Amino acid sequence: MPRKGENIYHRKDGRWEGRYIKGRKPDGRPRFGFIYGKQYSEVKKRLIVIKSELYRKPDCLPIAYGSIKLCDWADYWLEAEIRPHVRPETYAGYRRNLDNHICPHMGGMAIADITPLQVQHLADSLSETLAPSTLHGICRLLKSMFGAAAEKGLLRCTPYQNIRLPKSRCKSPRVLTQTEQRKLEEEIFSNNEPEYLLCLYMGLRVGELCALRWEDVDFENGILHIRHAVHRVPLGTEISSTKLVLGVPKSEFSVRDIPLPAFLSAILMEKKIAENGAPKDFLFKGTKTECRDPRTMQQKIARLCKKLDLIGVHMHTLRHTFATRCLENGIQYEVLSEFLGHSSPQITLRHYAHCTPETKRLNIERITPVSAHLTGKKG
């Protein structure tokens, strides 16, 4: 469905009409161009392309100056300046925030008329329903978008100034207790599903797990090479339609080599022999695709945990559990950071500077009473 301010209309003849400013008349009034299509999504895509090409040219920017709407600038900025330089899933997140939160509130407003007070009102409104971390991400996007518009001359100064936001708190991740982990591992073993052990004992992300090929497993040297990740990316400008693609991991630091535990190496070798796995074959195949879909992994672990009555557990919980077990066993943050593919130990510390109930209990028991009366010993 069209959103407010994007100049796409459903005509009486059943077609969709898109309108854009392509010039100015002698009296200063806008001169419009029109495109038509049988579907809204078709018109929207074509309109974005036309506007992107129009606003890409510096001499064409004055055509829309003072009247270009925020939603028009957002479409151009995201498609022409951002999308070619970010990962597909990053683009999808930006598009989702624009379509769901920014444009419904301010999309129909002329970008040059937006004030800091209106931006603050948007932030206050969104803070009532969104988590602080989500709101901070939306506002960073808005700030970048206004900054780019100011550089293009569409704004005399950015309206993103002195915006007050609630503090973003880092919530401790869900981690399996040792009892819960034992129950889950027994179920994994009985179902012959070693894929989940790679997350529990090597800290892989689900996309990295699905992308593994047999050539990534170095049995001779006991190393697992993380070189790719499977992602769901949007088709065109519509994020509701997606496809599965094999791409690079989350960041350059996520491309890494992890020592392969001996027991996992034996399990994987047994699996390879049983399947007669070729180097280019995926370790975990899908039913409709060559590799397993991350969503299938998520759905299956959800069913396992429901059966075991494990609440709040998903694929990333296994990665959190691996990190926590590492710290409980004295592995340093610097080493764990490389295992997880973080850019720095500080990120690892920020995410995992917490204790499980078991760790708290073990440490509190180390504190012994000073007084003999409390220990029951006679002096």
Side-chain angles (χ1 to χ4, degrees):
M1 292 298 293
R3 64 181 184 231
K4 184 178 179 181
E6 65 181 356
N7 283 338
I8 300 179
Y9 310 97
H10 198 197
R11 294 164 53 95
K12 292 182 179 180
D13 60 8
R15 294 184 300 165
W16 290 88
E17 173 188 306
R19 186 173 66 170
Y20 63 96
I21 298 175
K22 65 179 182 180
R24 293 282 176 181
K25 298 177 182 179
D27 60 2
R29 289 185 300 168
R31 184 161 53 89
F32 293 101
F34 302 89
I35 56 174
Y36 304 93
K38 293 182 179 180
Q39 295 182 340
Y40 161 74
S41 59
E42 173 193 351
V43 172
K44 180 178 178 179
K45 291 175 185 177
R46 289 174 57 198
L47 203 57
I48 288 175
V49 171
I50 290 173
K51 290 177 179 178
S52 297
E53 291 301 323
L54 179 66
Y55 300 144
R56 194 190 300 269
K57 303 173 183 177
D59 58 332
C60 289
L61 286 174
I63 291 174
Y65 184 81
S67 64
I68 184 172
K69 295 179 181 178
L70 178 64
C71 65
D72 291 337
W73 170 249
D75 283 338
Y76 159 72
W77 176 76
L78 187 60
E79 298 297 327
E81 298 194 0
I82 300 301
R83 189 173 191 175
H85 307 292
V86 299
R87 290 154 47 89
E89 56 270 30
T90 301
Y91 161 80
Y94 290 164
R95 171 56 67 184
R96 187 162 47 245
N97 282 337
L98 283 172
D99 289 349
N100 295 343
H101 303 299
I102 296 176
C103 288
H105 288 81
M106 307 177 73
M109 300 173 63
I111 191 171
D113 295 337
I114 297 175
T115 66
L117 184 61
Q118 291 168 323
V119 177
Q120 183 65 62
H121 178 72
L122 170 64
D124 292 342
S125 176
L126 294 177
S127 67
E128 297 176 2
T129 56
L130 299 179
S133 58
T134 303
L135 177 60
H136 278 251
I138 292 171
C139 287
R140 283 194 299 270
L141 180 66
L142 195 60
K143 183 178 181 180
S144 298
M145 190 166 57
F146 282 134
E151 291 178 2
K152 289 283 189 180
L154 296 177
L155 297 172
R156 291 180 176 83
C157 62
T158 173
Y160 196 97
Q161 298 179 27
N162 303 319
I163 304 303
R164 301 179 304 279
L165 299 176
K167 290 184 178 180
S168 183
R169 291 172 292 181
C170 187
K171 188 170 65 172
S172 296
R174 169 73 161 98
V175 173
L176 295 172
T177 66
Q178 293 189 14
T179 301
E180 290 175 330
Q181 184 172 345
R182 193 175 300 112
K183 287 172 59 179
L184 181 58
E185 287 180 12
E186 290 173 356
E187 188 69 21
I188 289 171
F189 182 78
S190 64
N191 292 341
N192 190 26
E193 295 170 326
E195 52 266 42
Y196 300 110
L197 295 177
L198 290 175
C199 294
L200 271 173
Y201 286 94
M202 301 191 76
L204 301 189
R205 300 179 178 93
V206 63
E208 297 168 348
L209 177 68
C210 294
L212 287 176
R213 299 180 189 266
W214 286 115
E215 64 184 3
D216 297 322
V217 186
D218 184 347
F219 290 104
E220 183 177 352
N221 297 303
I223 295 175
L224 189 68
H225 304 291
I226 308 300
R227 299 290 182 268
H228 300 92
V230 173
H231 309 286
R232 279 213 159 267
V233 301
L235 292 170
T237 58
E238 294 297 308
I239 61 173
S240 56
S241 300
T242 61
K243 64 178 179 180
L244 205 61
V245 299
L246 181 68
V248 296
K250 187 175 182 180
S251 71
E252 59 180 306
F253 302 98
S254 299
V255 177
R256 62 200 188 279
D257 296 334
I258 310 176
L260 184 63
F263 79 94
L264 277 181
S265 181
I267 291 173
L268 293 180
M269 177 58 78
E270 184 178 342
K271 175 180 173 63
K272 183 179 181 181
I273 294 173
E275 297 178 357
N276 194 25
K280 295 294 183 182
D281 289 345
F282 289 99
L283 268 67
F284 309 107
K285 299 178 181 179
T287 54
K288 296 182 180 180
T289 55
E290 288 185 328
C291 63
R292 191 80 60 85
D293 189 332
R295 294 192 300 193
T296 302
M297 292 282 197
Q298 297 280 15
Q299 291 164 358
K300 197 160 190 178
I301 196 68
R303 288 195 295 269
L304 283 176
C305 292
K306 184 177 181 180
K307 178 181 176 181
L308 299 173
D309 197 29
L310 300 179
I311 308 300
V313 177
H314 46 75
M315 284 298 295
H316 219 62
T317 303
L318 308 186
R319 177 174 161 90
H320 293 322
T321 300
F322 164 76
T324 302
R325 295 289 104 86
C326 285
L327 295 175
E328 288 174 350
N329 284 279
I331 294 177
Q332 297 177 340
Y333 279 102
E334 292 81 2
V335 177
L336 178 56
S337 178
E338 293 195 13
F339 285 167
L340 296 174
H342 288 164
S343 59
S344 71
Q346 286 72 29
I347 292 178
T348 309
L349 179 62
R350 187 170 72 243
H351 281 288
Y352 298 107
H354 66 281
C355 295
T356 63
E358 293 164 322
T359 305
K360 293 177 183 178
R361 171 59 57 186
L362 288 173
N363 281 275
I364 202 70
E365 294 294 346
R366 295 177 182 176
I367 305 175
T368 58
V370 175
S371 172
H373 296 285
L374 297 178
T375 61
K377 297 179 181 180
K378 295 182 179 180

